[in-house]
Amino acid sequence: MATQPIEQENPLREGTRLEAATEPCTVVIFGASGDLTRRKLMPALYNLMHEQRLPSSFAVIGVARREKTDESFRDEMQQAIAEFSRTKIDQSVWDSFARKIYYLRGDFNDAGTYSQLQLALARCEQRHGTLGNCIYYLSTPPETYDEIIEGLGRVGLHRPDEKRKGWKRIVIEKPFGHDLATARQLNARVATVFEESQVYRIDHYLGKETVQNISVFRFANGMFEPIWNHKYIDHVQISAAEEVAVGSRAGYYDTTGALRDMIQNHMLQVFALIAMEPPVAFDADTVRDEKHKVFRAIRQIQPAEVARYTVRAQYAAGSVAGKKISGYLEEPGVNPKSTTETFAAIKFFVDNWRWAGVPFYIRTGKALARRITEVVIQFRKPPQILFDEKSAGTIDPNLLVLRIQPDEGISIKSEVKLPGQRVRIRPVTMDFRYGTSFGVEIAEAYERLILDCMLGDSTLFTRRDGLEKTWEFVDKILDGWRQQDLKKLPQYEAGTWGPVEAQELMKRDGRQWRRQ
C-alpha cells in the first residue's frame, strides 16, 4: 500500500528562514585536498548555498600540504561539485560561491601554518564580514588531530571574540580513537584547548533523514510509544550491509575491522535513538542525556562470553552483483595472516525497565549480497488460539522496518484475511518512501550536519561521555577476541549474507534475520 505524494514546502522559502538564523562564519577545512572534501564537504556547502541556506557573509579556507593557488583549488572544487553534488551546477550560484573559496598551503606540524591561517581569517573577515566566527573541520587522518588542535591553540584561534560575542567550533571526523584508552586520550587533548560546547564529533549516519525520523516516528505518533517496550516487542535487529569489499581502504581497514569501523559509532548511535527514553525537550543536552543513559544500561559482554554473544568472520572469494571479488586475505595491503573481521554480529541486552529481556541483534559486513541499512522491530506474536493453523496458515509476527539506505522509508508488515469464504491469513506491507511521498530529493547527511554546526545545534553530534561509553562496550568484546587468539577467522563467500555462525546466533533463540 503506497502513500500519496505530499505537498512539499518551498525549499527556498525554508532556506531563507534558516539563513536568518545562521550567523556569518568562515569554514576552515584541514585536509582540503582529500577525498572527503571533494566528495562530501564541498558539494554539501555548495548545495546549501544553492538552496539559500548559507549566510551571505560566508567564506571557506582549504588547508593542505599540496601546492595550489586559490584559482586552481576553485577549479578542482568545481569539478568535484559537478561530479558529486546532488544538484547541477548553476553558473551564477557557482560564481558567487567560488569568490568565497580560498586555499592555504601548509604543514599541520608547522607553527607558521597557523600564523598564516590567522592572517587569512582576518582577510576573510574584512572581505566577507564573517565577524570572526569560525568552524574548523578536521578532514584529516586521526594521527594529525593532536598537532592541528595544538597549533590552533598556540596562536589563540580557539578563543571566541568576546567583544563581538563570536564563536569558534571544531568538527572532528571518526575514527575518534582506536579503543577506549586512545579515545580518552584524544578527548583529554581536545579539552586542553576547546570547551566541550565547542566540540562537534561528527557521525554522518545521524544526519541521514531516516535516522532523524526515528525520534519523530516514536514520539509524535501516539500509537507506537505505548507499545515500544518489552511487553510488545520480541527483539530488535539493526543491519548495515555493504556490497563493496575493502578496496583501496585495505591498509586502514586491516588495523580497524567492522566492529570499530561501523558498530562502535554508526550502529550504536542508531541503537540509542531506538532504545532511549523520551526526552523532556528536543535540545542537544537533553537528547544526549537520554542517549547516554541507554549506553550506560547496555549489559557488558565480558571477554569470556564473546563466543556466545558475538560472531566475526572474513569474506572469501565470491561474486557481488556479477563482479568477482577476491578473498579478504588476498587483498593488496592486507596481512595474509590477518584476523581482522570484515563481518561482525552481536547479541546484547539493555538492563532497564523498558527493554528487560529484549535482545538487540546488530550485524554489519563487507562484500555482502546487497547494500542496505535498516532497523527491524519485530513484535511479539499473538496467540494462535483463534485460528486453525492448518486452514488459516501460520501467523507471522508484525514487523516495523525503518530503511536508512537505500530507498529511505518505513514499512509495516501486518496480517490480513485473503478474500473468500475460508479464513486464510497472509501478510501485507504498508510502505512509505521519502522520494515518492514528498517528491523531492533527500539532502545529503553532511548538509544537515554542517548547517547544524553553523547554527550551534549539537543534538546530532556525539558527546564525550557517550563516546567513551560506546568504546567501553566495544573494548570488552575486543579483549575477548584477543583472548580467543584465533589463527584464522570463519569465512563467508562474498555476495552472501555472511557466515553461517551469524545465522546460528539467532537460530539458537528461535529467531532469524529478516530476509532481504
Side-chain angles (χ1 to χ4, degrees), residues 128-172:
H128 302 287
T130 55
L131 302 182
N133 298 327
C134 192
I135 294 172
Y136 305 109
Y137 201 115
L138 305 194
S139 177
T140 62
E143 55 267 25
T144 66
Y145 290 172
D146 276 3
E147 55 197 31
I148 294 173
I149 292 165
E150 182 181 347
L152 293 170
R154 189 185 301 115
V155 295
L157 285 175
H158 64 296
R159 288 194 293 268
D161 189 319
E162 295 181 0
K163 293 182 180 178
R164 290 174 296 183
K165 297 182 178 180
W167 46 261
K168 312 286 186 185
R169 296 168 188 147
I170 185 166
V171 180
I172 304 179

Side-chain angles (χ1 to χ4, degrees), residues 49-101:
M49 187 164 187
H50 186 271
E51 295 180 356
Q52 301 180 20
R53 292 171 180 253
L54 290 183
S56 55
S57 300
F58 168 78
V60 182
I61 301 174
V63 184
R65 294 186 174 96
R66 297 177 185 173
E67 287 287 353
K68 294 177 187 176
T69 63
D70 290 343
E71 290 72 22
S72 64
F73 182 57
R74 289 166 183 166
D75 289 342
E76 287 181 15
M77 294 303 101
Q78 184 178 18
Q79 294 171 15
I81 290 166
E83 184 176 357
F84 298 112
S85 170
R86 64 181 176 83
T87 60
K88 294 181 179 179
I89 285 192
D90 180 307
Q91 194 59 46
S92 62
V93 175
W94 167 253
D95 289 344
S96 178
F97 187 55
R99 288 193 292 271
K100 301 174 184 292
I101 298 174

Side-chain angles (χ1 to χ4, degrees), residues 205 211 214 235-241 262-263 265-275 343-348 350 359-365 372-378 400-402 404 506 512-514 516:
Y205 259 54
V211 174
I214 291 173
H235 73 275
V236 178
Q237 302 176 23
I238 306 175
S239 299
M262 289 293 294
I263 293 178
N265 40 75
H266 302 326
M267 301 187 75
L268 286 179
Q269 291 296 322
V270 173
F271 149 79
L273 295 174
I274 294 293
F343 179 98
I346 303 173
K347 171 189 173 182
F348 64 94
V350 178
F360 286 78
Y361 300 91
I362 287 181
R363 64 173 173 173
T364 184
I372 188 168
T373 302
E374 66 178 20
V375 178
V376 179
I377 313 292
Q378 181 165 314
L400 169 62
V401 181
L402 307 171
I404 295 172
M506 295 195 74
Q512 62 182 6
W513 297 102
R514 187 174 92 92
Q516 308 298 331

Side-chain angles (χ1 to χ4, degrees), residues 184-458:
R184 283 176 171 165
Q185 289 171 6
L186 181 53
N187 276 329
R189 187 72 192 90
V190 174
T192 62
V193 177
F194 291 92
E195 300 290 335
E196 177 64 23
S197 61
Q198 296 175 276
V199 182
Y200 289 68
R201 299 172 189 85
I202 194 168
D203 185 333
H204 74 272
Y205 259 54
L206 294 183
K208 292 180 180 292
E209 195 67 46
T210 315
V211 174
Q212 296 172 52
N213 196 46
I214 291 173
S215 298
V216 175
F217 187 81
R218 281 188 61 187
F219 305 131
N221 294 295
M223 69 178 78
F224 292 111
E225 185 57 25
I227 61 172
W228 208 263
N229 56 61
H230 68 277
K231 293 181 180 179
Y232 302 98
I233 293 176
D234 179 78
H235 73 275
V236 178
Q237 302 176 23
I238 306 175
S239 299
E242 298 180 86
E243 288 183 340
V244 297
V246 292
S248 60
R249 297 180 71 218
Y252 159 78
Y253 198 89
D254 202 39
T255 63
T256 305
L259 184 62
R260 290 185 176 98
D261 191 47
M262 289 293 294
I263 293 178
Q264 182 273 326
N265 40 75
H266 302 326
M267 301 187 75
L268 286 179
Q269 291 296 322
V270 173
F271 149 79
L273 295 174
I274 294 293
M276 73 181 191
E277 293 298 314
V280 296
F282 269 101
D283 59 66
D285 284 339
T286 307
V287 171
R288 296 193 295 180
D289 284 346
E290 295 302 334
K291 290 171 67 176
H292 182 62
K293 288 177 186 176
V294 82
F295 288 142
R296 290 181 58 192
I298 295 176
R299 185 187 304 172
Q300 301 291 316
I301 298 173
Q302 299 303 320
E305 300 175 313
V306 294
R308 179 181 175 188
Y309 290 109
T310 74
V311 171
R312 53 177 171 152
Q314 294 170 338
Y315 63 82
S319 177
V320 179
K323 179 183 177 182
K324 290 186 177 180
I325 301 291
S326 300
Y328 178 70
L329 297 179
E330 287 75 55
E331 296 277 13
V334 173
N335 183 341
K337 296 183 179 180
S338 173
T339 56
T340 298
E341 76 287 353
T342 64
F343 179 98
I346 303 173
K347 171 189 173 182
F348 64 94
F349 294 90
V350 178
D351 288 333
N352 63 17
W353 188 277
R354 180 182 294 268
W355 298 110
V358 176
F360 286 78
Y361 300 91
I362 287 181
R363 64 173 173 173
T364 184
K366 296 281 190 184
L368 297 179
R370 57 180 289 219
R371 172 178 173 261
I372 188 168
T373 302
E374 66 178 20
V375 178
V376 179
I377 313 292
Q378 181 165 314
F379 293 92
R380 296 187 183 277
K381 291 177 64 174
Q384 194 149 346
I385 57 177
L386 294 178
F387 306 102
D388 182 354
E389 184 174 340
K390 290 182 180 179
S391 59
T394 303
I395 296 178
D396 290 336
N398 299 137
L399 297 181
L400 169 62
V401 181
L402 307 171
R403 293 188 305 274
I404 295 172
Q405 64 182 13
D407 301 325
E408 293 90 341
I410 300 170
S411 65
I412 300 174
K413 191 182 86 169
S414 57
E415 300 293 292
V416 300
K417 175 186 174 295
L418 284 174
Q421 290 295 110
R422 293 172 52 201
V423 176
R424 292 180 298 164
I425 297 174
R426 293 292 185 274
V428 296
T429 300
M430 293 180 286
D431 199 49
F432 155 76
R433 295 174 185 263
Y434 273 92
T436 55
S437 295
F438 292 103
V440 294
E441 187 177 7
I442 296 176
E444 292 285 339
Y446 278 97
E447 296 173 35
R448 171 63 185 264
L449 295 172
I450 290 172
L451 186 62
D452 277 359
C453 185
M454 291 179 178
L455 293 167
D457 184 352
S458 56

